[in-house]
Amino acid sequence: MAQKETNGTNGEHISTRPPPTPSPLRFSKFFQANLRILVTGGAGFIGSHLVDKLMENEKHEVIVADNLFTGSKDNLKKWIGHPRFEFIRHDVTQPLLVEVDQIYHLACPASPIFYKHNPVKTIKTNVIGTLNMLGLAKRVGARILLTSTSEVYGDPLEHPQTEAYWGNVNPIGVRSCYDEGKRVAETLMFDYHRQHGIEIRIARIFNTYGPRMNIDDGRVVSNFIAQAVRGEALTVQKPGTQTRSFCYVADMVDGLIKLMNGNNTGPINLGNPGEFTMLELAENVKELINPDVKVIMTENTPDDPRQRKPDITKAKEVLGWEPKVVLRDGLVLMEDDFRERLSVPKKTAA
Ligand SMILES: NC(=O)c1ccc[n+]([C@@H]2O[C@H](COP(=O)([O-])OP(=O)(O)OC[C@H]3O[C@@H](n4cnc5c(N)ncnc54)[C@H](O)[C@@H]3O)[C@@H](O)[C@H]2O)c1
Ligand SMILES: O=c1ccn([C@@H]2O[C@H](COP(=O)(O)OP(=O)(O)O[C@H]3OC[C@@H](O)[C@H](O)[C@H]3O)[C@@H](O)[C@H]2O)c(=O)[nH]1
């Protein structure tokens, strides 16, 4: 069947091409409905939840490639040794030869403290890593999904952000290795799509939180919850009026799978439009988890976006997706996980 494409509102291609023909080896070794799926960064926070969901389908085989920089095999422990699962310790800045039908390309440190730790490596991961995964997609005819970020909008001058907004990004700042890196990754995705007909999907993920985030991840939700559970002051970075919109990880994983299996290339915003200042977030955490802790103001870092909220009209229309978990419910789910890992049980009423 010939490829049929139309242009979307943001100049993106809406491809109705059928999935690529799997390798002939597939037919001889495995039953036909089997889909081999590669998840790069699958040992990380979102990646491991995605793996859990993909593994629920008994006809999927899942391969994780991860260099374990911010991820951990602990996140995948229930799958290690499973016949449909394989873990490869691999750095995506090096080529990878595997035979797969779909690639979820998540590999990249996501917390600012980690992506700023070795900025040259972060940009290599975004640029060379994405080139390598696109090369793989081209060789085997796989569909590839990139987890891009709301950070491509930089410190946005439009609010809320639609996919049509081109962003306000500092090209030489301390966050550029990540936000400009992801912008180049998106460019590479579209160039491979236009030049080589690769089937691409781009998700622009807004701040996502949930169980299994690293305790010392450095991102705001995990910091506040760890601080509240430990009985430490919640550190709000100045001015505290900056906003973010927080999406629960189970909602995010549903959105990513819908995007992968739908027929729109994206970019598509995936996030929860509920918008909170960091002071409001701290007050919610304090009230729900530990009313005895203080909230203190600390210094911020350069180029911190002042506001961020996704317009998810496109995700609703194109994917029939919208988040279900409200922040206060998600925070409680995350508290349980953090208490278990920090060995701090909930106080019971006397
Ligand atoms: N969580 C969010 O709020 C959020 C928001 C926007 C975009 N994203 C994107 O989603 C993806 C996953 O984010 P996360 O929150 O799960 O972060 P995470 O840090 O928990 O996971 C990233 C994973 O990638 C791995 N990795 C990093 N560099 C690698 C490399 N060179 N080769 C192989 N593996 C490598 C890490 O070890 C880790 O397992 C990232 O691409 C991130 O940019 C996340
Ligand atoms: O302890 C803290 C940590 C952070 N913050 C503030 O909380 C806000 C959010 O900071 P985070 O580090 O959680 O995340 P950011 O929104 O800056 O970046 C994130 O954006 C989307 C993804 O691509 C990445 O996961 C990450 O880069 C910032 O304004 C920051 O100044 C605090 O007030 N206190």
Side-chain angles (χ1 to χ4, degrees), residues 110 149 151 175 178 207 219-220 223 235 237 244 304 308:
T149 169
E151 296 228 354
R175 294 176 90 99
Y178 184 77
N207 297 57
R219 282 179 277 187
V220 68
N223 272 6
T235 52
Q237 292 175 354
R244 294 292 188 275
D304 184 43
R308 207 147 71 196

Side-chain angles (χ1 to χ4, degrees), residues 150 153 156 158-162 206-207 243-246 269 271-276 307-312:
S150 53
Y153 301 122
E158 278 184 20
H159 195 72
Q161 295 80 51
T162 66
F206 284 65
N207 297 57
T243 66
R244 294 292 188 275
S245 305
F246 299 102
N269 288 340
N272 189 320
E275 186 184 8
F276 297 85
Q307 54 181 2
R308 207 147 71 196
K309 170 184 164 132
D311 180 321
I312 58 162

Side-chain angles (χ1 to χ4, degrees), residues 117-129:
H117 169 74
N118 185 343
V120 173
K121 181 62 197 270
T122 300
I123 197 138
K124 280 186 182 170
T125 295
N126 277 317
V127 178
I128 302 171

Side-chain angles (χ1 to χ4, degrees), residues 219-287:
R219 282 179 277 187
V220 68
V221 181
S222 46
N223 272 6
F224 285 179
I225 293 192
Q227 288 161 344
V229 166
R230 287 171 168 147
E232 296 167 357
L234 311 188
T235 52
V236 174
Q237 292 175 354
K238 291 174 187 170
T241 49
Q242 70 272 35
T243 66
R244 294 292 188 275
S245 305
F246 299 102
C247 185
Y248 190 67
V249 66
D251 284 332
M252 182 55 59
V253 163
D254 283 348
L256 291 173
I257 292 174
K258 280 196 161 138
L259 175 59
M260 174 63 102
N261 295 318
N263 63 12
N264 193 290
T265 58
I268 293 190
N269 288 340
L270 293 180
N272 189 320
E275 186 184 8
F276 297 85
T277 68
M278 293 313 104
L279 278 166
E280 285 167 345
L281 176 68
E283 287 307 326
N284 272 290
V285 171
K286 180 178 157 114
E287 187 194 324

Side-chain angles (χ1 to χ4, degrees), residues 229 335-336 338-348:
V229 166
E335 176 193 358
D336 294 342
F338 270 50
R339 282 194 184 281
E340 200 182 312
R341 284 192 284 151
L342 287 167
S343 306
V344 182
K346 232 178 199 156
K347 281 186 199 142
T348 46

